[in-house]
Amino acid sequence: MMDTVRVEVPVRATEDPEKVREAVMNVFPDLEIEGYGDFLKGEGNTESLSELREALERRRIRLTARGILIKNMRGKLTRIYINKQAALIGRVNVLEEPITPLGDIMVEIESDDIMGIIDWLAPDVSGEMEGSMDEK
């Protein structure tokens, strides 16, 4: 089975669908995004996660993202949510579940090697921060 990344985001009546699309494209520039009623959906492979991976590193939230991805794992699937408003201005805020009234960007990853994908996307960097403690 190939690795699959699915992205889905609600478009509320009060929102401009193009702005919602822009928010998704800021985080997933390679994804083909299509509209389905009140949702925009896109599907790609793990390469679609490259920008997200860089954003997690830049914002130093890899451990947070990793915790969510592991907690939300169900067999070969995991998911994480990204705040839509933040994504529109090019920031990545990760959430465990959708909490924003306007809806958040749901990112679902499916892979036979789901832990391998999580390790790549959000590596366990806890050791890097504790350097001095290891030297005892």
Side-chain angles (χ1 to χ4, degrees), residues 24-40:
V24 175
M25 297 311 283
N26 282 344
V27 187
F28 303 98
D30 309 336
L31 223 52
E32 288 289 321
I33 306 291
E34 294 172 18
Y36 296 93
D38 299 336
F39 283 89
L40 290 180

Side-chain angles (χ1 to χ4, degrees), residues 61-109:
I61 54 175
R62 287 181 289 185
L63 284 175
T64 303
R66 180 181 181 85
I68 295 170
L69 287 163
I70 291 172
K71 186 171 182 203
N72 286 347
M73 237 169 46
R74 301 285 178 273
K76 297 178 180 185
L77 280 179
T78 188
R79 62 175 46 167
I80 194 166
Y81 292 85
I82 295 170
N83 180 286
K84 190 199 299 183
Q85 288 355 82
L88 186 57
I89 58 165
R91 282 177 75 93
V92 168
N93 288 354
V94 293
L95 309 163
E96 201 171 297
E97 52 196 39
I99 52 169
T100 316
L102 288 174
D104 296 296
I105 302 168
M106 190 268 300
V107 183
E108 187 178 77
I109 305 163

